[in-house]
Amino acid sequence: MNNRAKLTAEQELILKAVNDLVTPVKVTLGAKGRTVLYNDTKGHDKSLWDGKPFTSKDGFTVAKQVKSKDPYEALIMSAIKAASQNTVASSGDGTTSTMILTEAFIESGIELMTKHNMTSWDVCALIDIVSKDIIENIKDRYSIPVVDSEGNINLKLLERVASVSSNDKAIGKFIYNIYSRIGTTGTIEVQVSDAHETKVRMTEGMRLSKGFYSTIYANTADGSQFKADKPYVVVFDDAIRDYNQLLPFLRMTDMREKGKMPLLVFCDEVSQIAFSVIKDYIELSNHPICIVQNSQFGEKRIDLINDIAGLTGGYPITSATDYAKTPDYYKGKDVTELPEFRLMGRAKEVLVTNASTSLIGDKEFIDADYVDSSIEYLKEKVGDVETQAYDKKHYQRRLANLTGGIALIKVGGTTEIEMKELFYRYEDAVLAVRSAIEKGVSIGGGYTWVNLHNDLEDTYDTDKYDGAASSAVYNTLLNSLLAIPKQLLVNAGFISNNEFKTYSTKIKDELCLDLIGNKYMSVDEFEIYDSCATLLDVVINASSVAKTMISVDKIIVNNVVYQR
């Protein structure tokens, strides 16, 4: 970059910090991306993350290992990492592309400030214009749906997305086989296994994004989960404010001849007084009990209560329900014959952590009439073009809970290094497929990025934006898009400018480059696809953090202002 003397101390620091972070990350991009060896010293499981060597081709995993002893550089790096984390959390992929595009936006933006005397405000406004144009073009021209108008699913496209995200065709095939069995309304969870092989267990059920709020409910050896087979289920349409509200169900599930039967309770909340008594009861009796609080509000809260009751064959308990009896009421009676006993539902299996609840219904107890009618209603609402996007997402989630299955992938490996690397690949593949189902796919291999650039180059309308910038300045920022396909080629061994020109020309002719086979092929033959949501998230998050960095004038850490 010319005129480096005009850079402020803060701009130089930002460019250095971004480059130091992105350089080891961008080598992982693409089919021929390289692996990074690192020493991981932090993590949840100290038996695994104890400083042993690990390898990864996952951009976000590599980025987390990059630190700076300079606190000011570390602060800048943390902002870039946060943008990439937003991308991977949303769409399961695109971490490396986000960092590459962020660096390109920042370099181009600072160049405009130093060479064209633009203010940071003008540059940020122009980034908004460029990113908006890119996003609109992705949605309008480069989004390929995986579900057609009749509801048919192109599972092959999902397989290709999973293969690209994980950089492993075997994993892509593995994910394809799961979705072909549970359908796209099902959910997939990924966990680490103690075994050497990777296996999957598929069952019907529902998954909630809310778990227990206290480890007192955990009944596994490591104290992290509540697991139970054939548990009874009680659904309260209110809070538990008094221990006596729960007492009848504790009595009825404390079957002397069968032992204490596991009990799963759903409610709005538990008062501190009631929780104290429940905690003492669990510690003294060892009765397997778990309470999960409702994660929804308003009508969604009511929907969740009814869906859980329908899947387990129970009844929502309201303040008007007449069930509370004195302890003596249950003595000497067969509780299974009591009317109050029928208020409880039954599940086949439950697994609760501090973050989620998985519940598998039992066909013997399920309320088939409720479930069937709800499924029919939800399918109509999902297919209705007048249904708002936010409501449709809620209906799709309910439909998944009532019709879809739960697939649990237990990732194994012969070594800890292999297991951890595979875990992240499976996790990325699952997230990428989920986002592809929602927003479609785009042709990969740099094809979409190059075409987006070519489509928008020299299209800047100065009249449309009141002459906010010239076409040349617009193109300077737009050229940032090419940083991603250029890095793809560099990692594949194509490093000269002439090779990139050839590549760009071929794409204009509707040809794609197979980076593995080093050959061009038609778009119809090409099998590399990215989740469209990933591309959108890359642009959104990269432009957002780039604007933040470009607008920075001073940097303060621990009350000390940065000075060169």
Side-chain angles (χ1 to χ4, degrees):
M1 186 179 294
N2 296 326
N3 301 324
R4 297 285 292 192
K6 293 185 178 180
L7 293 175
T8 66
E10 289 76 15
Q11 288 172 333
E12 287 187 343
L13 182 70
I14 288 170
L15 290 171
K16 180 180 183 303
V18 173
N19 182 260
D20 288 348
L21 172 62
V22 176
T23 295
V25 173
K26 63 186 179 184
V27 301
T28 67
L29 184 69
K32 285 192 173 180
R34 301 340 183 331
T35 298
V36 175
L37 175 68
Y38 64 92
N39 181 18
D40 193 347
T41 59
K42 291 185 178 181
H44 301 292
D45 186 347
K46 295 300 183 182
S47 66
L48 289 179
W49 324 133
D50 58 358
K52 296 179 181 179
F54 290 97
T55 61
S56 180
K57 192 180 171 295
D58 174 69
F60 185 62
T61 302
V62 174
K64 287 192 294 185
Q65 310 309 315
V66 181
K67 306 286 195 302
S68 175
K69 293 181 179 180
D70 185 311
Y72 299 96
E73 285 190 22
L75 182 64
I76 296 166
M77 288 180 177
S78 65
I80 310 299
K81 292 177 186 179
S84 294
Q85 186 174 22
N86 289 340
T87 300
V88 76
S90 175
S91 56
D93 203 2
T95 305
T96 305
S97 295
T98 300
M99 291 194 176
I100 292 172
L101 185 57
T102 298
E103 181 181 39
F105 271 148
I106 292 174
E107 289 180 347
S108 298
I110 291 178
E111 179 181 345
L112 292 177
M113 293 170 67
T114 56
K115 293 180 67 174
H116 296 266
N117 295 318
M118 293 180 68
T119 66
S120 61
W121 190 93
D122 290 333
V123 172
C124 289
L126 188 58
I127 289 177
D128 281 335
I129 293 171
V130 172
S131 59
K132 179 183 177 183
D133 289 345
I134 294 169
I135 289 168
E136 288 179 351
N137 267 265
I138 292 174
K139 291 179 177 179
D140 294 343
R141 303 187 61 181
Y142 295 102
S143 176
I144 304 170
V146 297
V147 182
D148 63 23
S149 58
E150 297 180 356
N152 299 314
I153 303 158
N154 190 332
L155 287 171
K156 275 297 180 183
L157 281 181
L158 297 184
E159 178 184 353
R160 291 167 184 171
V161 168
S163 297
V164 171
S165 179
S166 62
N167 197 34
D168 192 323
K169 286 188 175 181
I171 291 178
K173 187 68 175 178
F174 194 89
I175 302 297
Y176 164 85
N177 288 333
I178 293 175
Y179 272 109
S180 66
R181 291 180 61 183
I182 69 172
T184 54
T185 56
T187 59
I188 300 178
E189 298 179 22
V190 184
Q191 296 180 3
V192 172
S193 172
D194 295 329
H196 294 320
E197 296 182 18
T198 296
K199 296 182 178 180
V200 61
R201 186 182 67 178
M202 288 178 275
T203 51
E204 297 179 352
M206 75 187 317
R207 185 175 187 275
L208 310 177
S209 57
K210 189 85 176 217
F212 51 61
Y213 57 90
S214 171
T215 54
I216 188 66
Y217 300 120
N219 64 355
T220 55
D222 61 0
S224 65
Q225 298 175 332
F226 173 84
K227 295 178 68 174
D229 295 327
K230 293 281 188 179
Y232 287 91
V233 180
V234 178
V235 184
F236 283 93
D237 182 20
D238 202 350
I240 296 178
R241 297 183 176 86
D242 189 331
Y243 172 71
N244 289 321
Q245 291 175 258
L246 191 60
L247 181 59
F249 303 104
L250 299 179
R251 296 286 185 183
M252 287 188 286
T253 53
D254 186 1
M255 302 177 184
R256 302 303 179 187
E257 68 283 1
K258 296 181 180 180
K260 294 177 173 62
M261 305 301 290
L263 177 65
L264 177 64
V265 180
F266 291 93
C267 64
D268 281 356
E269 61 179 352
V270 181
S271 72
Q272 190 60 46
I273 295 175
F275 174 69
S276 297
V277 181
I278 293 169
K279 180 175 178 291
D280 291 341
Y281 172 81
I282 292 174
E283 291 176 341
L284 292 171
S285 68
N286 290 321
H287 195 159
I289 302 165
C290 185
I291 300 179
V292 176
Q293 296 181 1
N294 199 321
S295 59
Q296 302 294 337
F297 302 92
E299 291 185 3
K300 292 180 181 179
R301 167 186 166 278
I302 296 172
D303 288 339
L304 181 58
I305 288 171
N306 289 329
D307 288 349
I308 294 173
L311 278 177
T312 60
Y315 296 89
I317 296 172
T318 69
S319 57
T321 305
D322 182 19
Y323 71 93
K325 308 292 183 182
T326 62
D328 292 339
Y329 174 80
Y330 303 96
K331 289 183 178 179
K333 295 181 180 179
D334 181 358
V335 294
T336 61
E337 298 297 325
L338 297 176
E340 293 82 5
F341 188 83
R342 297 183 178 88
L343 294 173
M344 293 190 294
R346 197 88 183 263
K348 183 177 181 180
E349 183 180 340
V350 294
L351 173 64
V352 186
T353 69
N354 65 342
S356 66
T357 299
S358 296
L359 184 151
I360 301 169
D362 192 319
K363 292 181 180 180
E364 181 181 348
F365 301 99
I366 192 171
D367 184 344
D369 291 339
Y370 171 84
V371 171
D372 290 345
S373 61
S374 296
I375 289 172
E376 184 177 350
Y377 166 77
L378 292 169
K379 284 183 176 179
E380 289 178 359
K381 299 299 289 186
V382 169
D384 189 345
V385 294
E386 295 185 1
T387 301
Q388 296 295 318
Y390 183 76
D391 291 330
K392 182 175 290 188
K393 190 172 183 179
H394 170 62
Y395 295 139
Q396 287 172 331
R397 188 178 295 113
R398 285 188 64 199
L399 190 60
N401 281 334
L402 293 175
T403 67
I406 297 175
L408 177 61
I409 299 175
K410 300 284 285 186
V411 180
T414 54
T415 65
E416 293 174 3
I417 296 176
E418 180 188 15
M419 179 274 297
K420 187 178 180 184
E421 169 69 9
L422 284 174
F423 172 80
Y424 284 123
R425 291 195 183 196
Y426 275 100
E427 189 176 49
D428 285 351
V430 169
L431 287 172
V433 167
R434 285 178 188 166
S435 62
I437 292 171
E438 293 179 5
K439 296 184 179 179
V441 299
S442 297
I443 299 173
Y447 175 91
T448 300
W449 294 119
V450 172
N451 273 323
L452 284 166
H453 173 270
N454 294 341
D455 291 346
L456 294 171
E457 190 176 27
D458 297 325
T459 62
Y460 181 73
D461 187 348
T462 55
D463 294 332
K464 179 180 178 182
Y465 297 106
D466 298 325
S470 66
S471 180
V473 168
Y474 176 89
N475 288 342
T476 298
L477 276 177
L478 184 65
N479 289 341
S480 300
L481 279 183
L482 298 179
I484 298 172
K486 282 181 179 179
Q487 189 63 45
L488 276 172
L489 263 64
V490 168
N491 290 351
F494 301 94
I495 57 176
S496 71
N497 289 330
N498 287 334
E499 287 171 323
F500 185 76
K501 289 180 181 178
T502 300
Y503 169 77
S504 299
T505 301
K506 293 286 188 181
I507 286 179
K508 288 181 180 179
D509 295 333
E510 293 296 298
L511 294 175
C512 301
L513 176 59
D514 176 7
L515 294 172
I516 298 295
N518 291 339
K519 61 181 180 180
Y520 288 93
M521 59 181 63
S522 69
V523 172
D524 293 336
E525 296 176 299
F526 200 56
E527 295 187 350
I528 305 300
Y529 288 87
D530 297 317
S531 162
C532 192
T534 299
L535 272 65
L536 294 170
D537 287 335
V538 166
V539 176
I540 292 169
N541 292 317
S543 61
S544 176
V545 73
K547 289 189 299 178
T548 299
M549 293 295 106
I550 288 169
S551 63
V552 167
D553 187 67
K554 299 295 181 184
I555 305 173
I556 304 173
V557 174
N558 296 330
N559 303 320
V560 179
V561 180
Y562 174 74
Q563 294 181 342
R564 197 197 311 262

